[in-house]
Amino acid sequence: NAGVTQTPKFQVLKTGQSMTLQCAQDMNHNSMYWYRQDPGMGLRLIYYSASEGTTDKGEVPNGYNVSRLNKREFSLRLESAAPSQTSVYFCASSEYNNEQFFGPGTRLTVL
Amino acid sequence: GENVEQHPSTLSVQEGDSAVIKCTYSDSASNYFPWYKQELGKRPQLIIDIRSNVGEKKDQRIAVTLNKTAKHFSLHITETQPEDSAVYFCAASPPYWGKFQFGAGTQVVVTP
């Protein structure tokens, strides 16, 4: 099992460009999450999907959109990237109120 | 919503000594309390967790204690080793679904 996979691993964007971060899990989990982690800081929840077909805002949703494509896949889209969105993005999945498994992360730099 | 505070933010210990990290939570409905370890440049990984029906759990050199009345829980690492150097995050989660509220993290440095 691959667990949680994310693509790309690294990305550099210019201000105003758009991109989509992809996440997939093969553990048949119902819940999926997107976090951002800034240097020296904790994990802040951007969006989550409690189950297939539902998505909801987390702590820092501004500037992002998500799509729960199916049970396996949960994507995060930046429509118009800003330097403040420079961060490491982690996707995670869980079976409801249990351990969250994290992907390897995407390092995004917005110039 | 849930709010989790974690202390200290940094912890420096001599190899072989013990390390203790403390977290408090606000939502009395929270019933799942995991601890994650994140090494530099890596993803967070679960090291131990505890549910609200248990007061203490131990796994080799790592233990977690939970005081539901006071709404705080702690991570204890005994006989620390250099490979214990990392950032540790606590989290609290309510029972209805798996949304975690993470603490801000503790940077642990173990010096030989």
Side-chain angles (χ1 to χ4, degrees):
Chain A
N1 288 352
V4 180
T5 57
Q6 291 181 237
T7 55
K9 286 187 169 54
F10 302 93
Q11 184 71 50
V12 178
L13 292 177
K14 294 180 180 178
T15 297
Q17 287 185 318
S18 62
M19 78 162 295
T20 300
L21 282 65
Q22 306 286 354
C23 173
Q25 52 93 7
D26 62 4
M27 295 173 281
N28 202 37
H29 287 162
N30 280 285
S31 302
M32 297 186 73
Y33 316 83
W34 277 105
Y35 293 93
R36 62 176 288 174
Q37 186 175 38
D38 300 311
M41 295 189 69
L43 295 152
R44 293 188 291 170
L45 184 64
I46 306 171
Y47 270 94
Y48 60 92
S49 172
S51 60
E52 186 180 356
T54 69
T55 61
D56 220 329
K57 296 178 181 179
E59 185 183 349
V60 288
N62 291 345
Y64 305 95
N65 283 300
V66 291
S67 296
R68 183 75 183 266
L69 305 169
N70 47 56
K71 192 172 185 179
R72 289 187 64 247
E73 298 171 288
F74 188 38
S75 63
L76 178 72
R77 182 159 179 84
L78 287 71
E79 290 291 350
S80 179
S84 60
Q85 295 178 305
T86 293
S87 190
V88 179
Y89 291 85
F90 287 102
C91 176
S93 72
S94 74
E95 190 56 18
Y96 300 116
N97 183 234
N98 289 290
E99 176 184 358
Q100 286 189 13
F101 293 82
F102 285 82
T106 295
R107 292 185 176 275
L108 175 66
T109 301
V110 183
L111 302 175
Chain B
E2 177 63 276
N3 182 48
V4 175
E5 294 191 359
Q6 182 172 346
H7 299 280
S9 57
T10 59
L11 182 59
S12 186
V13 296
Q14 291 279 100
E15 183 177 357
D17 287 350
S18 295
V20 180
I21 305 169
K22 298 182 180 181
C23 289
T24 60
Y25 62 99
S26 60
D27 188 349
S28 56
S30 289
N31 71 340
Y32 178 60
F33 307 92
W35 285 89
Y36 283 80
K37 176 183 180 181
Q38 186 178 28
E39 297 175 350
L40 190 63
K42 301 284 183 65
R43 74 188 81 184
Q45 292 196 293
L46 183 79
I47 54 171
I48 196 167
D49 56 9
I50 192 168
R51 295 209 177 260
S52 58
N53 58 345
V54 176
E56 184 174 357
K57 185 176 178 181
K58 192 172 182 180
D59 183 3
Q60 299 183 337
R61 296 186 296 108
I62 293 172
V64 58
T65 58
L66 171 65
N67 183 327
K68 285 190 296 183
T69 304
K71 288 191 278 189
H72 66 70
F73 56 112
S74 300
L75 178 71
H76 305 254
I77 306 173
T78 58
E79 300 172 19
T80 53
Q81 301 168 5
E83 52 264 38
D84 294 328
S85 295
V87 178
Y88 292 81
F89 294 99
C90 64
S93 176
Y96 24 94
W97 66 277
K99 184 179 173 184
F100 289 7
Q101 181 64 49
F102 282 91
T106 297
Q107 174 76 62
V108 174
V109 177
V110 181
T111 53

